[in-house]
Amino acid sequence: MSAVDTLMPDMLLKGFDDPVDAGGRAFRALLDAMANPGTPFSITCPAEHPAQLSDAAAAVLLTVSDYATPVWLADDIASTDVQSYIRFHSAAPLTDDPAAAVFAVVAQGFEPLMATRFNTGTEDYPDRSTTVIVECAGFTGGTPVQLAGPGIEGTTRFAPHGVPLGFWEEMQMNNAGFPLGIDVILTAPGHVCAIPRSTLIEVN
Amino acid sequence: MSTDTGYNFAYLDEQTKRMIRRAILKAIAVPGYQVPFASREMPMPYGWGTGGVQVTASVITRDDTLKVIDQGSDDTTNAVSIRKFFAKTAGVATTDRTTEASVIQTRHRIPETPLKASQIIVYQVPIPEPLRFLEPRETETRRMHALEDYGLMHVKLYEDIARHGHIATTYAYPVRVNDRYVSDPSPTPKFDNPKMDNCPALQLFGAGREKRIYAIPPYTKVQSLDFDDHPFEVQTWEQDCALCGADDTFLDEVITDDRGGRMFVCSDSDYCRERRDGGHVGAQSPEAAE
Amino acid sequence: MYVAVKGGEKAIDSAHRLLAEDRRGDRRVPELGTDQIDAQLGRAVDRVMTEGALHDRKLAALAIKQAAGDLIEAIFLIRAYRTTLPRFGYSEPLNMRALRARRRISATFKDLPGGQVLGPTFDYTHRLLDFALEDEQPAAEEPTDASNVVELPVDMPRVLEQLARDGLIEEATPPTNEDTREVGDITRTPREFPADRDERLQSLVRGDEGFLLALGYSTQRGYGRTHPFAGEIRVGEVTVEFEPEELGFAIELGDITVTECEMINQFKGSAEHKPKFTRGYGLGFGHVERKAMSMALVDRSLRADEFGEARDAPAQDEEFVLSHADNIEATGFVEHLKLPHYVDFQSELELVRKMRAEIEARQPDPKPEAAE
């Protein structure tokens, strides 16, 4: 936590400069990402964001969350700053229960994702599953994996670094449960990249 | 570009857009599965493209160029009406040209010009449930999709063959998306089904009255249902387009007199014009008459 | 030479101009004021508000004028406008015990506290055209307030409450799962089956009067009988209250007119459980008696599962009723058949021609001239 944050806990951070226009652009980045798994896209970000949340993760939350979507935050993210930022800009209720979350945010680090604690939807309504925002350090330089499936022409290689321990093995398990499963949006400064449940993963 | 309508950009309020955007993302994550959404009343009637309009309004940005077609043509009345709606409420650029469009909203056709990566095609869908005419109950069809139980559909197609010697479905011909969900391609002619397979563009489907959104991501396997001894085949015509001479397009039949006179022309008016601009002529084009 | 049909835009503009003229009609006739529609075509305004799901007499009158009296078109205008309005929250539940009734009848008791109050009703009018209405009367100087014509009884206990006190009718229970979730909102969540009663009632209020009338009627003719008695029908004014989050207490927004119908239906009981009558409920904006009664009949029919009744009649079929009750959905899809379907039809035409050709090829050609 930075000194500025502790000094001015009540200071409200700014969201999107123009919520209509920026929200629309940010969504298109998200749409492109979800439609092209494993390909990073740059995303329009809010003017300011709390220190514990990347600008891209803040952009995703402000774009798609609102009063109707409970948000779950991992312990190391759930600071007062982040909570008041989300509550003010998106009005999303915060939940302690990962299985009740429509969106969840997992901090960058090496804690396992524990994908099964989230909602994976039901046979009748597989869409009612959690979308998990996973913060990572960057989209290159990590252990490369090979991705295939809907949205990918042939195969693509992807090597984000700073993903949770055992992330790809968990994502393989997640894919095996298709059409149930969580959908992951990886965030790195200014960028998003999606791994929906439909993506097949080959770990070398 | 600002709009002078007193309504929000692209008509829908931001809250509604967010709800639709969430549905679209889930639809992409589960290709071919119909995501329920809280469809809004729109200022045009249900059945006239309210689903497509809501999807387009939720994805479009000021940088987009929009093309709207109905029956393959940019100039049919409902296409004109929807294009005007977006020009007015979103102030976006519009075009007739498939190649120049970043978002294409369509009713009943897929353009003949192959779609590109980064393009989005939005289909207007009346009945999104491919099993609906076999089983009218939502509670039943939802179970069938959950259990991947598509036996009823195969039985129906096979009964067609037994009775008519053909699968008697010529439009809204069911497809299987990504080897999982059986989906309705909207009432496009089956002629267009092959264009959906491994398509580089993102395909989004909006059904407003039925309150469903579904999607086919780029490069996704889309298979028209068939049988080994009765493989899927598309329509063919004995004639070529009378205006541009194309022999591989979907043709509209035009009645020219009351003595049985008729001619066939491309249903895709942009594609036909492009061919004519490129020097192609058909049997009844003005150039041929000279 | 053939030229593809062009000019869709011009055609649309011309059609709009023609419609405006057609709507106005002969200009020698004075233009109809929305205040006249509100005051003198009140039942039309009430229906448009109820099925349009928006209580605003002025806007409903405007919609009726703009729609040239086509009420479904007017309802559509109101719905499309309604959906653009900002949402501040939900009002407090109406306190129907405090309804100031201008009309109150019960078909189950001859007399009761507060009495039978006929109020403004078409009942018992002889349906004879009143040619006196052809002569227009000049406008009065002073405003008329119909509600002041009769002195209203202050104490008017509700009929079904009297039965409930003796345990003779089921309690007017809130939705069974109220403790686990908030009341549903069909404008914000997509329809799902099976639906709960709160969502069903919301759909029925918006539902087409004619459709519900026919369904209600069908239950009376044996397609899912519910043995209904009109326990109490009331028309009157009730206060709408709203509690702003920042205030912490409810404030009065104003009074609206509503019609409520409480049906007493088929009793239920068993060897162990003493029999009780059951309920069907109907409510609408303004004076919409036929609608409220039809709604109450259909509400009760849709509760078949609750009472272990067989579900085999159309009015008991929740998916069927709720999927087809909305006249805006229905009119859109029926009327969309006017849109071009050249492409689909061409596809069918191609197949039919092909199949005919195959049959002709299989059958020996009679060729009469060859036989000669």
Side-chain angles (χ1 to χ4, degrees), chain C residues 175-281:
Chain C
T176 46
N177 49 357
E178 198 196 42
D179 41 348
T180 57
R181 70 164 182 101
E182 290 174 15
V183 175
D185 183 343
I186 60 162
T187 68
R188 298 237 247 178
T189 44
R191 192 182 288 140
E192 203 179 294
F193 299 109
D196 287 311
R197 192 175 175 207
D198 51 346
E199 288 154 352
R200 288 202 305 255
L201 287 168
Q202 289 171 30
S203 294
L204 295 179
V205 179
R206 292 180 148 215
D208 182 74
E209 179 175 312
F211 179 73
L212 297 185
L213 176 66
L215 282 174
Y217 175 47
S218 72
T219 67
Q220 291 180 283
R221 290 196 64 261
Y223 288 85
R225 271 188 90 185
T226 62
H227 302 267
F229 295 94
E232 188 168 23
I233 295 167
R234 300 186 301 163
V235 182
E237 280 65 47
V238 68
T239 305
V240 180
E241 294 183 321
F242 178 75
E243 186 180 319
E245 209 178 322
E246 62 276 17
L247 223 52
F249 57 88
I251 51 168
E252 291 187 1
L253 296 184
D255 289 352
I256 60 170
T257 304
V258 295
T259 304
E260 182 190 60
C261 172
E262 291 192 286
M263 247 358 140
I264 300 171
N265 299 79
Q266 175 79 1
F267 56 82
K268 289 287 154 189
S270 62
E272 297 85 48
H273 296 99
K274 289 182 273 184
K276 282 180 177 190
F277 291 102
T278 58
R279 293 169 182 257
Y281 190 77

Side-chain angles (χ1 to χ4, degrees), chain A residues 45-139:
Chain A
C45 292
E48 295 177 299
H49 60 96
Q52 298 84 352
L53 206 58
S54 72
D55 54 358
V60 175
L61 285 176
L62 265 50
T63 303
V64 286
S65 76
D66 57 29
Y67 77 94
T69 61
V71 170
W72 178 88
L73 301 171
D75 284 344
D76 29 11
I77 295 181
S79 70
T80 325
D81 287 0
V82 176
Q83 292 181 357
S84 54
Y85 183 80
I86 291 170
R87 245 184 276 155
F88 182 79
H89 289 294
S90 91
L94 297 166
T95 177
D96 295 334
D97 178 7
V102 173
F103 295 101
V105 190
V106 175
Q108 187 190 319
F110 299 97
E111 288 292 314
L113 178 61
M114 294 191 280
T116 50
R117 64 183 154 168
F118 301 107
N119 191 346
T120 53
T122 65
E123 277 188 344
D124 281 359
Y125 295 98
D127 56 302
R128 296 180 185 171
S129 71
T130 309
T131 300
V132 185
I133 299 165
V134 177
E135 300 257 40
C136 61
F139 292 145

Side-chain angles (χ1 to χ4, degrees), chain B residues 95-115:
Chain B
T95 183
D96 289 356
R97 294 178 189 268
T98 302
T99 50
E100 287 174 5
S102 54
V103 177
I104 300 168
Q105 180 167 330
T106 181
R107 178 171 170 264
H108 295 196
R109 276 310 311 276
I110 300 173
E112 306 288 4
T113 307
L115 300 177

Side-chain angles (χ1 to χ4, degrees), chain A residues 141-153:
Chain A
T143 313
V145 292
Q146 185 168 286
L147 308 177
I152 299 167
E153 186 179 14

